[in-house]
Amino acid sequence: MGVLAGKTALVTGGSRGIGRGIAERLGREGARVAVHYGSNETAAKETVAAIEEAGGEAFALGQELGVPGDAAALWESFDAAVGGEGGLDILVNNAGIAASKPFATLDEEEYDRVFAVNTRAPFFLAQLGAGRLRDGGRIINISTGLTKTALMPDLIAYSMSKAALDVFTRDLSKVLGPRRITVNAVAPGIIDTDINADWLRGDEQAWAGAAAMSALGGVGTPAEIADVVAFLASEDARWVTGHWIDATGGSLS
């Protein structure tokens, strides 16, 4: 029996990368995990299968984020999936996108899209999910170390959207605190995921440069972020809320 046995979790963007690492970790701790995906159903089903093979329970939920009505539609699918056993204990707002263009060429459409996925969707998922979230529950927002440094200024819109998520985390902790619901943010640094594969894995210099940023001398893995999330989801973190946790491996030191 894991420390999250009997709990139900929803992980947005849970089919790949950091999200998959989180979903699998919560599953190993005994939580029933709703694995959300935006478009890659195959990857979501693979994540569900991995959780089940490890002895856990999971199901996939598909819903594009960043579009009108996204949060309501996702919760409707969640309610249908859990049926009479409704209710939620852990919400992990992990899904996010980065702008592909720097400041000088970023257009309004892409800017709005970044904020719609990274900031607006978590806001309304939490707002509409609060009634489903049981007292003593957890909301964990995945931020970035880039909200504290100008190390990658070409990702300015992405960093701005996550900075807004940090403020949301802080203020929401006060709103939901009376119900003993904790709200925290976890900020990864450079993580070895398929999203970073093109520039990171195929270039020895890029890998060495990324590793050199960390005080620990390495590139982070999804499992290392998932372990932090699992702690925040557990009873051991019941007195931690409104906090921004640096999980960059000391890259901000």
Side-chain angles (χ1 to χ4, degrees):
M1 296 290 287
V3 298
L4 299 179
K7 306 291 187 181
T8 297
L10 168 62
V11 181
T12 67
S15 65
R16 298 163 53 198
I18 293 173
R20 177 169 179 166
I22 293 170
E24 291 187 7
R25 182 72 166 81
L26 298 183
R28 288 198 301 274
E29 290 298 341
R32 174 176 58 170
V33 185
V35 179
H36 161 264
Y37 66 94
S39 59
N40 195 334
E41 182 179 8
T42 298
K45 288 183 176 180
E46 290 173 353
T47 302
V48 168
I51 293 171
E52 292 176 340
E53 287 170 8
E57 182 181 357
F59 56 94
L61 292 176
Q63 173 60 47
E64 181 183 2
L65 298 182
V67 298
D70 52 0
L74 180 52
W75 284 123
E76 183 177 350
S77 296
F78 175 87
D79 292 341
V82 299
E85 302 175 14
L88 182 75
D89 300 284
I90 304 157
L91 169 61
V92 182
N93 284 310
N94 166 77
I97 59 172
S100 60
K101 300 172 185 175
F103 171 71
T105 58
L106 184 68
D107 58 41
E108 291 185 11
E109 182 178 359
E110 187 163 9
Y111 177 95
D112 289 345
R113 173 69 176 162
V114 169
F115 273 81
V117 175
N118 296 356
T119 310
R120 190 182 72 198
F123 181 98
F124 287 104
L125 282 169
Q127 183 193 70
L128 299 180
R132 296 168 173 83
L133 199 61
R134 285 183 267 264
D135 289 356
R138 305 283 189 264
I139 295 178
I140 303 162
N141 298 320
I142 304 304
S143 180
T144 174
L146 294 178
T147 65
K148 306 296 184 182
T149 178
L151 187 63
M152 298 180 181
D154 279 354
L155 293 176
I156 185 170
Y158 171 77
S159 302
M160 290 170 62
S161 70
K162 291 294 189 174
L165 189 66
D166 293 347
V167 173
F168 175 57
T169 299
R170 181 196 67 198
D171 289 6
L172 188 61
S173 71
K174 294 287 189 179
V175 174
L176 298 180
R179 294 178 53 198
R180 308 289 289 187
I181 295 171
T182 67
V183 187
N184 292 287
V186 176
I190 298 175
I191 304 297
D192 182 19
T193 65
D194 56 349
I195 294 175
N196 291 326
D198 288 345
W199 71 273
L200 189 59
R201 293 180 190 168
D203 188 326
E204 291 185 6
Q205 287 188 332
W207 184 278
M213 293 180 191
S214 167
L216 300 174
V219 175
T221 67
E224 287 163 334
I225 305 305
D227 288 346
V228 179
V229 172
F231 163 70
L232 291 173
S234 75
E235 184 65 12
D236 288 344
R238 62 192 177 278
W239 202 240
V240 179
T241 194
H243 195 51
W244 186 90
I245 296 181
D246 181 343
T248 68
S251 296
L252 304 179
S253 302

